[in-house]
Amino acid sequence: MPRMVGAAKRIPVPVELQSLELAPRHLSLLSHLLFDGPLTVNELAARLEVAPTTVSLMVGELSRKEILERHEDPADRRRRIVSITDGMRPAIEGWLARGATAWRKALAPLSPSERRLFVRTLRAYETAMLESLSRTDQAAP
């Protein structure tokens, strides 16, 4: 796991994005929009497993930096659809697509059931790490 994280961290941030102070939470949001296409705030919140208000704040922040934009949903004018701006899409795609391409290559030889097992294993690892951190936080004075 440390080697995978190390490899991901070596992917250089594009020059266009370096001054924008993007945090890991932004990368997850951008990845969903890049690979899943435009989404509503509620859809993003469900995918990120956070509250819609949290996503709304992130979208507002990234909209002010001209990374994201909100559009009216043509099917329901009350809803707003969030997407990556055309101007930032090439930089974000060039940066984040490397990881997706690597995952596709690594997972391609696996059967669907093997892929599900792999994802379940990663989620179990994440859960165990979060439980460990929670126990550490509770034990601290």
Side-chain angles (χ1 to χ4, degrees):
M1 192 64 74
R3 289 173 44 186
M4 287 181 8
V5 171
K9 286 183 174 184
R10 284 193 296 274
I11 298 172
V13 177
V15 173
E16 304 94 321
L17 304 174
Q18 287 177 0
S19 67
L20 300 177
E21 300 174 10
L22 297 175
R25 67 182 182 278
H26 297 126
L27 303 185
S28 296
L29 184 144
L30 292 171
S31 293
H32 283 291
L33 290 172
L34 182 62
F35 301 117
D36 299 335
L39 299 165
T40 66
V41 167
N42 286 339
E43 290 168 332
L44 281 166
R47 284 179 166 91
L48 295 169
E49 300 177 0
V50 299
T53 53
T54 302
V55 173
S56 187
L57 290 171
M58 286 194 296
V59 168
E61 177 185 0
L62 295 176
S63 294
R64 285 187 294 281
K65 294 179 180 187
E66 299 182 357
I67 297 171
L68 299 181
E69 57 192 358
R70 298 176 200 202
H71 303 279
E72 187 177 89
D73 183 348
D76 181 350
R77 297 179 66 186
R78 295 169 295 175
R79 290 180 2 143
R80 306 292 285 168
I81 304 293
V82 179
S83 62
I84 298 170
T85 62
D86 290 340
M88 288 295 188
R89 179 171 289 284
I92 291 169
E93 190 169 302
W95 184 32
L96 298 179
R98 292 179 186 191
T101 300
W103 277 116
R104 283 189 190 102
K105 184 176 179 179
L107 297 173
L110 302 179
S111 70
S113 63
E114 290 171 325
R115 287 185 199 132
R116 283 190 296 277
L117 175 62
F118 179 76
V119 170
R120 279 196 310 269
T121 302
L122 286 178
R123 286 188 173 159
Y125 174 83
E126 176 191 27
T127 299
M129 286 298 294
L130 291 173
E131 287 171 354
S132 172
L133 291 170
S134 177
R135 284 192 302 275
T136 302
D137 290 346
Q138 291 172 0

